[in-house]
């Protein structure tokens, strides 16, 4: 008999019984029923609590997994592409003092899965409201390919654009995390840094150099990561770089020139402290500049250097022992050779000493000195200085110089004063540094280098006594000759100007000049060489268009503004350089 049947029997007996025992029997049955109800209620509550707790545990596990997944993959929206290929980091680039020149910033790019697009027309119309420059026809074509599972729509969006597109709620649209290269200084060091393409790969400059060292290969293999890399430190000082770029850019505008450039080179280490070329470009948006702005005229442009080459001719003659500072040459009459007539721009019509030939920039006197040394020795000397071969350095954009296929007497003579050989301003500065640092030719570098390391990368090309004589000539010209316009008080700038007629339609033009200026300071113990140029200026200081009024002021202003930053102490009240005493 069941529990409920027993209860029913007891209740029936209680209903018909009489006497003194009736009440106790009824009370017992009621208590049994009440206890059963309480037990059932307790069991039901336990089951509900257990069920709620079970659901709570399940939801907590789910929430924890979502948090863990979100923390590990904060930007992953789709698994269509391997994230490492898009998130691979590039190392920061900093200057010699640690100032940031280039870095990666996080961004997103818009993609579509055309096979999931419900309404192509609606999707294109909505996207155009946020992205007005979107290629509507191209986008429509991409989205209409129903069999396609992936298509890029717009690379590197702003956070605002991303949020606006998310708000549109277009199915089949997503975002991929990417890295974008950012250059805090804009165009300040554009030709040194270069830039990267849309996939964050180096295209030119030191960015390409970094990829060429193995970063591009590692990225292609998927072996890079999104983690930070060790910064790449350059030799440049961004403070001096900003000055050089500012001075060059202003000169191009003020002198109405086709282009301009300058370099500051450490003569003891070969480190490039600053290098500017104008026109230039903003590496943050390289396509916004004209293609002409991409040309690095300092290293990837070759030009006839004009009379600055007379510095090398003098060094050659002095080093050969065939000429001394006390020698003199007759510069009273023009030289006629092979149908050409060689004359002086600042002719004195008399015999000139070697320092005077340099001071007055005599083509006649320089030609006679080169003829005395000889053709083969002339070619060998310029080769020894690296002026006839491609300059080795980290920068990918380096052009090879040009020279006559066969050197004849007329070639040697014209090359002696800067016509007939085209070189880059960078290698001209490097060769100039060898003439003033004691005779050591040091490969230029855009990476930090110690004096000890430079010694291993140097080659002795001239005698120290020759270097001393060249410094004297540069000082003599800087104080008494054409270099006076670049003399900075307190810094004893030794220099040589060069004004070369450019070749136009196969003939030398007397109205289109390429002006150069080679300077070293302080000339009694040079620490830096400054090479500047001004291409086809239409005007200059005091209305002149020659080097003394165009290229020289560029070097002067750079030295005046940066010498203190470079740690060069000025000297005043010493009555001129001691080098002049030797003449």
């Amino acid at each position: 008999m069941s529990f409920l049947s027993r209860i029913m029997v007891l209740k029936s007996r209680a209903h018909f019984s009489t006497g003194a025992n009736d009440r106790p029997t009824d009370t017992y049955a009621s208590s049994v029923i009440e206890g059963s109800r309480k037990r059932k209620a307790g069991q039901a509550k336990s089951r509900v609590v257990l069920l709620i707790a079970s659901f709570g545990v399940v939801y907590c596990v789910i929430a924890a997994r979502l948090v863990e997944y979100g923390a590990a993959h904060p930007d992953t929206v789709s698994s269509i592409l391997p994230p490492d290929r898009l998130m691979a980091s590039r190392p920061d680039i900093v200057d010699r003092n640690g100032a940031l020149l280039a870095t990666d910033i996080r961004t997103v790019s818009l993609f579509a899965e055309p096979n999931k697009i419900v309404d192509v027309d609606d999707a294109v119309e909505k996207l155009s409201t946020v992205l007005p420059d979107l290629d509507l026809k191209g986008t429509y074509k991409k989205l209409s390919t129903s069999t396609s599972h992936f298509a890029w729509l717009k690379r590197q969006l702003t956070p605002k654009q991303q949020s606006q597109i998310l708000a549109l709620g277009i199915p089949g649209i997503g975002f991929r995390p990417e890295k974008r290269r950012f250059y805090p200084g804009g165009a300040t060091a554009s030709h040194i840094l270069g830039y990267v393409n849309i996939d964050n790969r180096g295209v030119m400059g030191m960015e390409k150099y970094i990829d060429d060292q193995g970063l591009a290969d590692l990225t292609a293999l998927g072996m890079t990561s999104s983690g930070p890399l060790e910064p790449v430190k350059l030799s440049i000082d961004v403070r001096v770089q900003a000055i050089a770029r500012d001075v060059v850019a202003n000169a191009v505008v003020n002198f109405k020139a086709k282009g301009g450039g300058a370099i500051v080179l450490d003569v003891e280490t070969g480190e490039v402290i600053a290098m500017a070329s104008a026109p230039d470009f903003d590496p943050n948006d390289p396509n916004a500049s004209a293609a002409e702005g991409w040309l690095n005229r300092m290293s990837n442009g070759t030009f006839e250097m004009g009379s600055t080459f007379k510095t090398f001719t003098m060094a050659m003659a002095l080093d050969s022992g065939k000429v001394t500072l006390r020698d003199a040459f007759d510069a009273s009459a023009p030289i006629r050779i092979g149908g050409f007539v060689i004359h002086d721009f600042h002719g004195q019509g008399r015999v000139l000493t070697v320092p005077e030939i340099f001071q007055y920039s005599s083509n006649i006197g320089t030609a006679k000195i080169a003829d005395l040394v000889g053709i083969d020795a002339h070619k060998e000397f310029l080769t020894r200085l690296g002026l006839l071969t491609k300059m080795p350095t980290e920068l990918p954009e380096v052009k090879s110089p040009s020279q006559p296929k066969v050197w004849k007497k007329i070639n040697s003579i014209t090359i002696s004063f800067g016509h007939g050989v085209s070189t880059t301003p960078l290698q001209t500065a490097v060769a100039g540094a060898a003439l003033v640092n004691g005779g050591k030719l040091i490969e230029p570098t855009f990476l930090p280098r110690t004096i000890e390391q430079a010694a291993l990368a140097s080659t002795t090309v001239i005698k120290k006594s020759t270097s001393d004589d060249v410094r004297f000539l540069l000082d003599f010209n800087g104080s008494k000759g054409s270099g006076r316009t670049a003399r900075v008080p307190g810094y004893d700038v030794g220099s040589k100007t060069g004004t070369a007629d450019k070749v136009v339609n196969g003939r030398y033009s007397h109205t289109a000049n390429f002006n150069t200026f080679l300077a070293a300071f302080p000339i009694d113990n040079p620490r830096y060489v400054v090479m500047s140029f001004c291409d086809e200026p239409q005007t200059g200081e005091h209305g002149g268009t020659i080097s003394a009024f165009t290229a020289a002021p560029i070097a002067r202003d750079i030295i005046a503004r940066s010498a203190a930053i470079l740690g060069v102490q000025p000297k005043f009240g010493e009555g001129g350089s001691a080098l002049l005493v030797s003449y």
Side-chain angles (χ1 to χ4, degrees):
M1 183 180 294
S2 68
F3 178 76
L4 290 178
S5 299
R6 288 178 187 161
I7 294 299
M8 293 300 294
V9 171
L10 290 173
K11 290 179 74 175
S12 176
R13 289 177 179 174
H15 178 73
F16 290 103
S17 66
T18 58
N21 294 327
D22 288 350
R23 187 173 302 277
T25 301
D26 184 58
T27 302
Y28 171 74
S30 298
S31 63
V32 170
I33 294 172
E34 186 64 26
S36 176
R37 288 178 178 174
K38 287 182 179 180
R39 282 195 299 272
K40 289 183 177 181
Q43 290 174 351
K45 282 185 178 181
S46 297
R47 291 192 185 100
V48 171
V49 171
L50 181 61
L51 185 62
I52 292 175
S54 299
F55 276 111
V57 170
V58 171
Y59 280 115
C60 285
V61 171
I62 294 174
R65 292 294 293 169
L66 288 174
V67 171
E68 179 184 357
Y69 183 80
H73 310 278
D75 294 315
T76 300
V77 181
S78 171
S79 59
I80 294 175
L81 294 179
D84 284 346
R85 296 295 178 88
L86 296 173
M87 292 295 289
S89 296
R90 297 183 65 83
D92 287 350
I93 301 178
V94 298
D95 82 337
R96 65 188 302 112
N97 300 310
L100 187 65
L101 301 175
T103 189
D104 281 348
I105 58 175
R106 299 173 68 85
T107 183
V108 295
S109 290
L110 178 66
F111 74 89
E113 297 175 81
N115 61 314
K116 296 182 180 179
I117 299 294
V118 178
D119 189 333
V120 175
D121 290 321
D122 182 63
V124 173
E125 183 178 351
K126 286 182 176 179
L127 289 174
S128 65
T129 62
V130 178
L131 306 172
D133 59 340
L134 187 69
D135 180 7
L136 300 182
K137 290 184 179 180
T139 303
Y140 183 86
K141 185 177 180 180
K142 291 178 181 178
L143 299 184
S144 299
T145 309
S146 58
T147 57
S148 175
H149 292 269
F150 183 86
W152 285 120
L153 299 184
K154 185 73 173 179
R155 305 292 291 273
Q156 299 181 350
L157 302 179
T158 66
K160 182 178 180 181
Q161 289 173 325
Q162 182 187 13
S163 63
Q164 289 175 332
I165 292 173
L166 282 171
L168 297 176
I170 305 173
I173 297 294
F175 302 90
R176 289 293 302 177
E178 289 193 289
K179 295 288 180 68
R180 178 181 179 182
R181 203 63 164 164
F182 176 63
Y183 303 88
T188 301
S190 57
H191 285 110
I192 296 175
L193 297 173
Y195 65 96
V196 299
N197 61 17
I198 194 70
D199 294 314
N200 220 24
R201 305 291 183 264
V203 174
M204 63 177 286
M206 295 303 289
E207 292 282 24
K208 188 175 188 305
Y209 168 78
I210 292 171
D211 278 7
D212 291 343
Q213 301 314 296
L215 180 64
D217 294 336
L218 291 176
T219 302
L221 294 172
M223 296 177 67
T224 53
S225 69
S226 60
L229 302 174
E230 187 72 20
V232 174
K233 180 177 286 190
L234 303 187
S235 62
I236 69 171
D237 186 320
V238 72
R239 300 168 299 175
V240 182
Q241 177 66 33
I243 292 171
R245 194 258 173 180
D246 181 61
V247 171
V248 168
N250 288 337
V252 169
V253 173
N254 296 336
F255 301 153
K256 301 177 182 177
K258 182 178 180 180
I263 184 172
V264 180
L265 187 72
D266 188 313
V267 303
E268 292 296 331
T269 64
E271 293 173 295
V272 177
I273 305 301
M275 188 179 75
S277 174
D280 54 18
F281 63 95
D282 184 350
N284 291 306
D285 189 12
N287 293 324
S289 302
E292 191 173 279
W294 293 344
L295 175 61
N296 183 354
R297 290 167 169 79
M298 288 302 302
S299 66
N300 206 24
T302 55
F303 311 92
E304 293 185 344
M305 292 293 159
S307 293
T308 52
F309 250 50
K310 291 172 182 172
T311 314
F312 307 121
T313 304
M314 290 295 185
M316 171 187 67
L318 293 167
D319 201 61
S320 70
K322 296 181 178 181
V323 176
T324 69
L325 292 177
R326 294 176 177 82
D327 290 332
F329 294 82
D330 185 5
S332 60
I335 298 175
R336 300 181 183 276
I337 179 172
F340 295 93
V341 179
I342 297 171
H343 55 81
D344 286 344
F345 185 73
H346 301 287
Q348 302 299 301
R350 61 180 175 83
V351 174
L352 300 175
T353 64
V354 168
E356 287 178 329
I357 291 173
F358 199 71
Q359 174 189 5
Y360 296 117
S361 198
S362 171
N363 295 334
I364 298 171
T366 305
K368 290 187 174 183
I369 289 175
D371 189 40
L372 179 63
V373 175
I375 299 173
D376 293 338
H378 191 182
K379 183 178 180 180
E380 186 279 328
F381 184 79
L382 294 184
T383 302
R384 194 194 316 167
L385 288 183
L387 291 167
L388 302 182
T389 55
K390 186 176 181 180
M391 176 64 67
T393 189
E394 300 88 5
L395 210 63
E397 297 77 35
V398 177
K399 192 173 182 179
S400 298
S402 62
Q403 59 175 308
K405 292 183 178 180
V406 178
W407 280 49
K408 300 178 180 179
K409 184 174 181 178
I410 183 62
N411 300 120
S412 179
I413 286 177
T414 57
I415 290 170
S416 72
F417 51 80
H419 285 284
V421 164
S422 295
T423 62
T424 68
L426 171 61
Q427 65 188 141
T428 305
V430 172
L435 299 186
V436 300
N437 68 4
K440 300 171 294 183
L441 181 67
I442 308 173
E443 292 182 0
T445 181
F446 291 85
L447 301 173
R449 180 192 283 162
T450 64
I451 293 179
E452 293 74 22
Q453 291 170 333
L456 299 176
S458 67
T459 304
T460 300
V461 290
I462 60 173
K463 295 175 286 191
K464 185 181 183 303
S465 59
T466 303
S467 178
D468 293 340
D469 288 344
V470 171
R471 288 192 294 113
F472 165 76
L473 291 174
L474 290 170
D475 189 32
F476 188 75
N477 185 68
S479 59
K480 297 183 179 297
S482 59
R484 288 173 295 175
T485 54
R487 197 77 166 183
V488 179
Y491 292 105
D492 294 333
V493 180
S495 60
K496 184 68 186 80
T497 55
T499 301
D501 294 338
K502 293 187 68 174
V503 176
V504 179
N505 297 325
R507 303 189 61 167
Y508 283 103
S509 170
H510 297 297
T511 58
N513 297 333
F514 186 82
N515 300 337
T516 56
F517 190 75
L518 179 63
F521 75 99
I523 196 59
D524 60 338
N525 184 24
R527 291 183 56 187
Y528 299 97
V529 157
V530 178
M531 177 83 191
S532 60
F533 74 84
C534 195
D535 189 7
E536 294 189 27
Q538 302 302 307
T539 185
E541 290 187 351
H542 311 295
T545 58
I546 61 175
S547 175
F549 303 117
T550 54
I554 294 176
R556 177 199 65 207
D557 292 347
I558 291 174
I559 294 171
R561 293 172 58 180
S562 65
I565 295 174
L566 293 170
V568 180
Q569 297 296 324
K571 299 177 182 178
F572 297 103
E574 297 187 4
S577 173
L579 289 173
L580 295 180
V581 178
S582 64
Y583 172 55

